[in-house]
Amino acid sequence: MSDYLPNEVIIEILSRLPVKSLIRFRCVCKTWCSLIASPHFIATHLNRALSKSNAQHPPYLLFHYFDSDFQTQCFTLHYSDDPFPANHSDKHLAFYSSPGIRTRELSLDQEIEEIEEKRGYLNDFLHVVGSSNGVVCLADYVFRKNSGSLCVLWNPSIQKVILLPDPNIGANFGGFTSNGPVIRSLGFGYDPKTDDYKLVKAVYLEDPTHILHPLVEIYSLRMGAWRSVTTPPPPYVIELCYVSVFLNGAVHWRVHTPSGQGDFRNVIVSLDMEDEAFGELAMPKSLEGVKFLDVNLAVIDGLLALVPCNEWGIAVTEPHSVWVMKEYGVAESWTKVFDICIPGRLDRVIGFTKNGEVLVVDDMGKLFSYEPSSQQALDLNILGGLKDSFYLDTYVESLVLLNEESGTHL
């Protein structure tokens, strides 16, 4: 075919094909194998897949949770214009079995077992830190003094797993000895300027004077190593270890001022993936001074949002409010858009579907779909073993990581 078609035409044709087909077509000839694995083609294919007008590469929903037996991690991809049909009566989650809904189960078990054998310890569960351009970042959030913690980058489309090296921050980091990190939080994002995927780790070590010192470092996939962030981090505490969001080229965390150090204040801190500089965003005035605030960060239709959660185990049954920042960086644009009220006690918001419904989990770990306009909650009959294990986000298939060698980052 290459003897009769210009290379530009071949790229135009191949870039419209799904990842599964492209992986097979690498066997056609050496030219095609090199072409499909080239950075230019991977970027071209990804940009086409990200295009909203491209029906050939529709976005999926990536869904993850731990089963109630605490033994199984479930990863699935779903696509439908109506993920949660109102007339659905099956005992399972609607997008598992409804007609016209595409579902694909994903597995990471074999790859993780191989990594665990190399590292010399067994891992219990992996939490999703975040995803970008088809790459999912997972970590176990457990600090081990001798063997470190487990962080991986995974592209389910090509079933490629990259094990990241242990971070530099440890129990004896910073010139003093500690029993280990007091609070550890991660964030994952993409730097388009350098075409680099970065994992951010923030750790607060407690010194003998009991003052929390934030230490921040970044892993760069392009560099294959961790390095400290030179910009001084702001003097806030990241309270929610597992949750961050990536938006407008930056990772965001909900933070607050340290206890006993001036007036209490809730703030949103960002770290730009390009210049690696910290920034601050104000919270709504009505929430700024509330201690033990039961909200977390999310992204709704491309807007920064605050959604309910009960990290402190507070038994709250009244409706919980969802806020969105309609103009990024403008505090006055915070707007309360709707309340959430479910039969039980709401623990957290998991994510938002394409048709505007909200996935929420109660304090017993049971999953619900909530429809804001009708204020109806549908019990999806999924009970997670860990309430903070649920994850839902849009996902696009890509060839990212195809050129990465799994062993280079061990």
Side-chain angles (χ1 to χ4, degrees):
M1 181 180 292
S2 59
D3 294 334
Y4 302 95
L5 291 176
N7 196 53
E8 294 78 9
V9 176
I10 295 176
I11 293 176
E12 181 70 18
I13 295 172
L14 292 180
S15 64
R16 298 174 181 273
L17 299 179
V19 170
K20 185 176 180 180
S21 299
L22 292 172
I23 295 300
R24 293 202 315 267
F25 289 166
R26 289 189 304 167
C27 300
V28 171
C29 62
K30 290 183 179 180
T31 302
W32 278 28
C33 183
S34 299
L35 170 64
I36 293 171
S38 67
H40 173 71
F41 181 83
I42 291 174
T44 301
H45 183 269
L46 175 62
N47 290 334
R48 188 178 294 278
L50 291 172
S51 173
K52 294 181 179 180
S53 62
N54 181 18
Q56 298 298 319
H57 295 272
Y60 288 83
L61 284 176
L62 173 65
F63 183 60
H64 167 246
Y65 72 101
F66 300 133
D67 205 349
S68 57
D69 61 4
F70 291 90
Q71 299 295 320
T72 306
Q73 291 190 88
C74 302
F75 292 92
T76 48
L77 286 178
H78 312 274
Y79 176 76
S80 173
D81 290 331
D82 187 14
F84 302 108
N87 61 354
H88 180 71
S89 60
D90 193 272
K91 68 177 182 177
H92 296 296
L93 191 60
F95 50 43
Y96 272 94
S97 57
S98 296
I101 295 176
R102 290 182 277 177
T103 300
R104 178 151 62 95
E105 294 186 2
L106 308 173
S107 176
L108 193 58
D109 296 340
Q110 181 178 347
E111 288 80 3
I112 295 301
E113 287 179 4
E114 293 176 356
I115 289 173
E116 289 171 344
E117 289 178 2
K118 293 179 181 179
R119 297 291 290 270
Y121 63 83
L122 295 178
N123 170 67
D124 293 325
F125 302 107
L126 289 177
H127 296 261
V128 179
V129 178
S131 62
S132 181
N133 297 339
V135 178
V136 183
C137 180
L138 304 105
D140 63 359
Y141 290 100
V142 176
F143 179 86
R144 299 174 175 85
K145 185 173 294 186
N146 297 323
S147 55
S149 56
L150 184 64
C151 298
V152 300
L153 300 182
W154 175 40
N155 184 338
S157 303
I158 60 177
Q159 201 55 28
K160 187 69 167 289
V161 176
I162 303 296
L163 171 65
L164 275 54
D166 290 337
N168 299 316
I169 298 177
N172 298 316
F173 186 87
F176 55 85
T177 300
S178 169
N179 291 327
V182 177
I183 297 174
R184 174 174 178 258
S185 187
L186 300 174
F188 179 68
Y190 173 69
D191 178 7
K193 185 176 181 179
T194 59
D195 188 28
D196 195 7
Y197 295 84
K198 297 180 179 180
L199 175 63
V200 184
K201 178 184 178 183
V203 171
Y204 293 78
L205 297 179
E206 190 174 15
D207 68 10
T209 62
H210 304 289
I211 299 175
L212 292 174
H213 294 269
L215 305 171
V216 182
E217 60 179 343
I218 289 181
Y219 175 84
S220 162
L221 179 64
R222 180 173 287 274
M223 299 298 294
W226 290 90
R227 52 185 168 75
S228 297
V229 174
T230 56
T231 307
Y236 298 116
V237 177
I238 302 175
E239 196 67 65
L240 306 179
C241 301
Y242 299 152
V243 179
S244 64
V245 298
F246 180 70
L247 179 68
N248 290 345
V251 176
H252 299 73
W253 295 273
R254 203 210 85 194
V255 302
H256 62 77
T257 52
S259 177
Q261 298 188 23
D263 295 334
F264 181 88
R265 191 162 63 100
N266 292 303
V267 186
I268 296 171
V269 164
S270 64
L271 179 63
D272 189 273
M273 290 287 97
E274 181 180 329
D275 58 21
E276 298 180 3
F278 289 95
E280 293 185 22
L281 298 173
M283 297 274 280
K285 285 294 183 182
S286 60
L287 304 179
E288 191 175 58
V290 179
K291 291 187 176 181
F292 309 117
L293 185 64
D294 61 341
V295 299
N296 213 335
L297 294 179
V299 176
I300 304 176
D301 293 332
L303 302 176
L304 188 65
L306 296 171
V307 296
C309 68
N310 282 328
E311 289 294 329
W312 298 93
I314 301 174
V316 181
T317 55
E318 63 267 19
H320 300 259
S321 299
V322 174
W323 296 72
V324 297
M325 186 179 244
K326 294 196 171 182
E327 186 176 351
Y328 183 78
V330 179
E332 294 74 18
S333 69
W334 280 113
T335 305
K336 188 170 74 169
V337 289
F338 59 83
D339 292 330
I340 296 177
C341 186
I342 62 174
R345 295 170 179 171
L346 182 111
D347 182 80
R348 65 176 61 232
V349 170
I350 306 303
F352 298 81
T353 66
K354 185 179 179 181
N355 62 354
E357 295 189 8
V358 190
L359 272 189
V360 300
V361 60
D362 67 8
D363 61 349
M364 300 301 292
K366 183 177 288 188
L367 199 64
F368 290 84
S369 173
Y370 181 78
E371 210 289 312
S373 59
S374 65
Q375 299 183 344
Q376 296 296 312
L378 173 66
D379 186 347
L380 300 177
N381 286 293
I382 284 187
L383 182 64
L386 298 172
K387 291 179 291 182
D388 58 4
S389 70
F390 288 100
Y391 178 85
L392 179 76
D393 200 1
T394 55
Y395 177 86
V396 61
E397 291 188 324
S398 77
L399 295 166
V400 178
L401 300 186
L402 186 62
N403 290 324
E404 294 292 331
E405 296 182 13
S406 301
T408 59
H409 301 280
L410 293 177

